[in-house]
Every structure is written in C-alpha cells, then in structure tokens.
C-alpha cells in the first residue's frame, strides 16, 4: 500500500539540526539552499531507486547473508539505523528540556516515545503505513493553520537584500540540505511505494520545509534566526489571538513529534527485521538498550558531544551514502546475489 514515510523522513532531520545548520551557514538566503539541495536530493533518491528495486519483496538480512561481502553491508545497515535512532533520541529530550520539562530526566522523556515505536514494530507493516498516511493529513493542516496565524508578523524587508551570502556557504548549505533530507530515505527500502510516489512525497516534504524556512526568515529576520537553537519553534511564540490568548505554539509541536515518531518507528522496524532470526527479540531489545544508553548517558549528557554530532551529521550521512553506492555496484556484479 502507499504510505507517506518519505514525507516524514525528509522532514525529521530538519528539526533541531537542519534549520540550525542552514541558518548558521546561509542566514536569510537559506531558502536558496533548499531549492538547490532538493535538486541534489533527487539524484540521491534516483540511486536508491535501483537498490530498492533489487530488495523488493526480499528480506535484507537473508539476502545479504548469502555472501561475506553481503554480511559486511548488513553491518553497515545496522550501524546506519543505530546512528539515526541515536540522533532522534538525542533531539527529543533536548527540545523538551529546553521549553517544557526543564528538570525532567531525559530517560523519562524518551521512554514513552520509544515504547510506542517499539509497539509499532510488533504490528504488521500496514499499521505504520496507515499511521503515516493519517498523520500526514494532520501535519499539513497544522502547518497551514499556523502559517495563517503568522501572516500579520510578516515583514518582507527581512528577506532583502537577496543573495548576500558567499557562494561557498550556499553550496555547502545545499549539500547539508540534500544529505539530511534524502540520504535517510534508504529507510524505506522494504516499503513498496513506486519511485514516482517517493519523489512526490519527498517534494511535498521539501515544499513544506521551504515554506517554514521562508516564514521564519520573513518573521524573525537574520539576527534572530542565527541566535535561536530552535528557530522553527521560536517564530511561533509570537502568535497571539485576540491579544490575550498565548502559548498556542505548543500545539504546533505535534508536527515535529509526528516527524520524529514516524521516522523512529521506521528505524526500529528495520532494526528488528535485520537482526538475526534466531533469538530475534533478544537481539532487538538489546539493540534498543544500547541505543538509549549511548544517546542518553554517553552523548546526551555532554553538550559538547551533541554540538559535534550536529555539525558532523551531514558529512557522516554522506559517507554512508557512498557506501550504499558501492552496495549498488556490488549487487549489479555479484552472481551469488543475483
């Protein structure tokens, strides 16, 4: 069945990381980087198209276990899933501790979120696909409503003058956007949307991201967009209805929770499927414990580690992408896998 996983995956890395990096590099010209980065991302998704075609209706674990080199690529997939899961589990408590539950331990914030994701893995894949389709509707509605609320705070002078950022920064921002929105799309390798559907959903996610970035720029202006760690949330704090109804920005955060939840659920499902079939549940729960421990106690407790991970995130993703390209070459040439 068709799903909207691609839409949510394309947006999940923008929250807390993507917006921060783009505004730091390109300032008010970040919207240009989104357009250029989207073109690069289409190339990445085109490469993934051929990998997905090979693994369609196949189990990645069983297929790659046929050869020694295949087992190496299976380990790469596991590391990639672990890496993305750690990023999400770092982001969620970081945001919640910054604006809501200031003194709540990170582990207590993570547990309900992770519990629901693990619960999804024990259901049929159709459950996750249906859920992504349902939440996609809510995501679009929430983005539209809050954009209308922000119209009276718009000042197009914040956009001018256009293209004052150095070319190297624009190109680097384009690379960052392409990396963090398209490279994680290999998570959908075992979901059977056509390339046309995946591309359409990716472009929908990009359009929504472009719209959010554009609104942030014209509402906040360049000095502020570089100061806030979560500018996508800070811009919404301006909203007041009838001059006395405030704090309605809290409802808008559901769109980010949807992005993180659907992406994390896809990751946990993939981890469960790629773990050895014998004692699968033991391996799966052990993997979840390792991910939570690393994200919460080793990295999440040290702000310097978090910043380093955020700045290196697009580059590490690109290294994984290069490895996935070699996987495609290996698939084409390996007689055993064929």
């Amino acid at each position: 069945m068709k799903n909207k996983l691609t839409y949510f995956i394309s947006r999940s890395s923008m929250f807390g990381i993507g917006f921060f990096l783009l505004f730091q590099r390109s300032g008010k010209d970040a919207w240009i980087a989104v357009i250029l980065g989207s073109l690069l991302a289409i190339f990445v998704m085109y490469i993934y198209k051929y990998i997905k075609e090979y693994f369609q209706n196949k189990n990645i674990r069983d297929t790659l276990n046929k050869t020694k080199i295949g087992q190496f690529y299976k380990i790469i997939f596991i590391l990639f899933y672990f890496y993305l899961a750690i990023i999400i589990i770092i982001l969620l408590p970081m945001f919640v501790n910054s604006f809501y539950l200031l003194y709540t331990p990170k582990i207590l914030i993570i547990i309900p979120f992770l519990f629901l994701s693990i619960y999804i893995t024990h259901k049929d894949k159709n459950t996750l696909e249906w859920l992504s389709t349902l939440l996609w509707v809510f995501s679009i509605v929430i983005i539209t409503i809050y954009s209308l609320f922000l119209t009276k705070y718009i000042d197009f002078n914040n956009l001018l003058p256009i293209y004052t950022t150095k070319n190297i920064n624009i190109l680097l921002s384009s690379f960052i956007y392409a990396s963090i929105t398209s490279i994680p799309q290999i998570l959908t390798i075992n979901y059977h949307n056509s390339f046309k559907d995946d591309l359409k959903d990716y472009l929908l996610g990009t359009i929504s991201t472009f719209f959010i970035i554009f609104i942030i720029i014209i509402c906040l202006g360049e000095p502020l967009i570089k100061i806030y760690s979560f500018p996508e949330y800070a811009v919404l704090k301006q909203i007041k209805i009838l001059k006395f109804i405030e704090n309605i920005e809290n409802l808008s955060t559901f769109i980010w929770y949807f992005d993180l939840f659907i992406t994390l659920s896809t990751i946990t499902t993939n981890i469960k499927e790629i773990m050895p079939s014998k004692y699968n549940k033991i391996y799966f729960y052990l993997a979840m414990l390792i991910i939570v421990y690393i994200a919460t106690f080793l990295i999440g407790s040290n702000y310097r580690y978090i910043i380093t991970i955020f700045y290196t995130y697009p580059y590490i993703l690109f290294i994984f992408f290069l490895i996935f390209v070699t996987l495609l070459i290996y698939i084409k040439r390996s007689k055993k896998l064929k």
Side-chain angles (χ1 to χ4, degrees), residues 10-141:
S10 71
R11 289 168 43 83
S12 62
S13 293
M14 289 301 297
F15 178 71
I17 300 180
F19 291 114
F20 172 76
L21 293 178
L22 289 185
F23 288 138
Q24 290 295 313
R25 295 285 184 184
S26 300
K28 58 183 174 54
D29 291 323
W31 61 275
I32 301 174
V34 173
I35 296 173
L36 296 177
S38 301
L39 299 177
L40 292 174
I42 292 173
F43 169 75
V44 174
M45 296 192 65
Y46 190 73
I47 296 294
Y48 284 169
K49 167 181 177 287
Y50 292 103
I51 299 177
K52 289 182 67 175
E53 284 177 352
Y54 175 78
F55 284 104
Q56 189 170 7
N57 299 321
K58 297 178 182 178
N59 183 284
I60 296 178
R61 176 193 64 218
D62 296 338
T63 304
L64 294 179
N65 274 339
K66 293 178 181 178
T67 65
K68 294 292 184 182
I69 298 177
Q71 291 173 8
F72 164 76
Y73 284 111
K74 186 185 74 170
I75 294 173
I76 294 298
F77 273 107
I78 293 173
L79 292 176
F80 186 67
Y81 297 154
F82 273 46
Y83 181 63
L84 293 182
I86 288 169
I87 292 292
I88 292 176
I89 293 176
I90 289 173
L91 274 174
L92 180 65
M94 181 180 174
F95 173 71
V96 174
N97 284 151
S98 298
F99 295 101
Y100 302 116
L101 307 175
L102 303 183
Y103 305 107
T104 303
K106 291 179 174 60
I107 190 67
L108 295 182
I109 297 171
I110 293 169
I111 286 175
F113 201 78
L114 188 62
F115 176 80
L116 289 175
S117 297
I118 293 175
Y119 176 75
I120 292 291
T121 65
H122 294 291
K123 300 294 181 181
D124 190 84
K125 275 188 176 181
N126 288 339
T127 303
L128 180 57
E129 292 177 315
W130 278 114
L131 188 60
S132 70
T133 304
L134 176 64
L135 294 183
W136 173 78
V137 176
F138 286 105
S139 177
I140 295 297
V141 170

Side-chain angles (χ1 to χ4, degrees), residues 190-285:
N190 274 337
Y191 295 85
H192 307 313
N193 277 11
S194 65
F195 174 69
K196 182 179 178 181
D197 289 329
D198 284 339
L199 186 58
K200 180 180 69 175
D201 290 338
Y202 175 80
L203 292 177
L204 284 173
T206 287
I207 290 170
S208 68
T209 299
F210 175 85
F211 195 64
I212 291 170
I213 284 179
F214 196 77
I215 288 290
I216 292 171
I217 293 171
I218 59 180
C219 287
L220 291 181
E222 185 154 25
L224 293 178
I225 60 178
K226 289 188 175 182
I227 293 174
Y228 291 120
S229 55
F230 290 92
E232 62 272 37
Y233 179 76
V235 69
L236 297 169
K237 293 181 73 67
Q238 300 180 88
I239 298 175
K240 295 180 182 179
I241 300 177
L242 300 177
K243 296 183 178 180
F244 63 89
I245 301 178
E246 300 180 1
N247 297 326
I248 66 169
E249 72 277 358
N250 294 331
L251 295 175
S252 70
T253 56
F254 280 107
I255 62 171
W256 313 119
Y257 294 144
F258 294 161
D259 296 339
L260 296 177
F261 175 70
I262 292 297
T263 304
L264 184 60
S265 297
T266 308
I267 294 169
T268 53
T269 300
N270 288 2
I271 289 175
K272 188 173 187 295
E273 290 184 348
I274 206 169
M275 287 289 128
S277 56
K278 189 175 182 180
Y279 306 121
N280 181 266
K281 289 185 178 180
I282 295 176
Y283 285 114
F284 172 66
Y285 286 114

Side-chain angles (χ1 to χ4, degrees), residues 167-181:
N167 290 336
I168 185 65
N169 286 339
I170 292 290
L171 292 175
L172 184 58
S173 297
S174 302
F175 165 78
I176 290 171
Y177 182 80
S179 295
I180 66 179
T181 60

